[in-house]
Amino acid sequence: MKKLEIVYGIHPLIEAIIAKKNIRKLFFQRGLKQASNAYKKLINLSKKEHIPIQSVSKQKFYQLKNKNHQGVFAILSPIETYHIEDLLPIFYEKGKNPLLIILDRITDVRNFGAIIRTAACAGADAIIIPKKDTAMIGSDAIKTSSGALFKVPICQEKNLLNTIEFLKNSGLKIVSATEKSNIYWYNIDFSGPTALILGNEEKGISSQYLKISYEKAKIPAIKGISSLNVSVACGVILYEIFRQRKYKSKTHF
């Protein structure tokens, strides 16, 4: 398993961002006064690239105590990420019937890893996540996915709304998994190119994404029981998609 890479120091981090390195999160030492132009440039670049920023205590820098870290370090992802605009034409050129999964603010690393693992088993072509408000792609995510993070392309996008609109205009059916529907998941036709949206563990799918979805897939639960865990819901719907695509007569296994 590839070890997480740490980059520290203001100028090295500026160069890492300019070089489009996949920075998962930027950490600043809490209470440290910084007013240099380089520091301001680092902050501005981070915001422009939608890199999450977190203020942490001095103790977080203990492993860098003999380094000239200048009160800032970042974690680089061990996984290469892509943009769906680059991958989708390749899928179509290969004759694929694309199945994409969009994760809207899935922050729990165990859910994230479990979804990736199920996606790999069910034949998903790519996972799309936002730059912010998502689980960190690190050793925990790799472990909970049982290594599936190395098998399914991860696309990291700055603006999920624009990405969904792009997919919609590219011929994909946008389906949201939500209890705010009267249509059960097994009554939806998944035979064509599809992008499945899964929402935040507590808040669900953003209203703006629900609004532009072609279909909304509901998985019922017994009265008095809250909705399914998002990774479980993912598995239920993905295997219905798998069933429909593999068994066109829609007979059961």
Side-chain angles (χ1 to χ4, degrees), residues 23 45-52 131-132 158-159:
I23 296 175
L45 280 173
S46 300
K47 290 179 179 178
K48 182 181 177 182
E49 295 299 322
H50 298 267
I51 297 171
K131 272 274 190 178
K132 287 186 174 183
K158 293 180 184 178
N159 189 312

Side-chain angles (χ1 to χ4, degrees), residues 167-195:
L167 295 174
K168 191 174 181 180
N169 294 332
S170 299
L172 278 84
K173 178 186 285 187
I174 311 299
V175 180
S176 288
T178 174
E179 71 278 4
K180 299 174 183 177
S181 175
N182 294 318
I183 303 173
Y184 293 133
W185 81 104
Y186 50 76
N187 287 325
I188 293 175
D189 181 8
F190 291 107
S191 60
T194 301

Side-chain angles (χ1 to χ4, degrees), residues 98-209:
L99 172 57
L100 311 177
I101 300 174
I102 301 170
L103 303 183
D104 176 23
R105 300 165 299 160
I106 302 297
T107 56
D108 186 285
V109 70
R110 292 165 298 181
N111 282 335
F112 181 73
I115 288 170
I116 304 299
R117 184 178 184 180
T118 304
C121 291
D125 294 295
I127 308 291
I128 300 170
I129 61 174
K131 272 274 190 178
K132 287 186 174 183
D133 299 323
T134 190
M136 183 175 289
I137 303 176
S139 56
D140 288 340
I142 293 170
K143 183 171 178 57
T144 54
S145 76
S146 293
L149 265 167
F150 294 113
K151 298 179 180 180
V152 183
I154 305 295
C155 299
Q156 201 168 28
E157 308 295 348
K158 293 180 184 178
N159 189 312
L160 276 189
L161 184 60
N162 289 347
T163 298
I164 295 169
E165 290 283 8
F166 165 77
L167 295 174
K168 191 174 181 180
N169 294 332
S170 299
L172 278 84
K173 178 186 285 187
I174 311 299
V175 180
S176 288
T178 174
E179 71 278 4
K180 299 174 183 177
S181 175
N182 294 318
I183 303 173
Y184 293 133
W185 81 104
Y186 50 76
N187 287 325
I188 293 175
D189 181 8
F190 291 107
S191 60
T194 301
L196 173 66
I197 306 177
L198 298 165
N200 176 269
E201 293 88 344
E202 295 179 1
K203 300 178 181 178
I205 297 171
S206 300
S207 59
Q208 56 187 344
Y209 307 155

Side-chain angles (χ1 to χ4, degrees), residues 15-42:
E15 294 304 320
I17 295 173
I18 292 173
K20 301 296 182 181
K21 295 294 184 181
N22 189 16
I23 296 175
R24 295 298 300 135
K25 186 175 282 191
L26 204 59
F27 298 89
F28 288 90
Q29 184 176 320
R30 190 179 298 124
L32 195 67
K33 301 295 183 182
Q34 291 277 11
S36 69
N37 289 332
Y39 177 83
K40 293 175 182 176
K41 183 177 181 179
L42 176 58

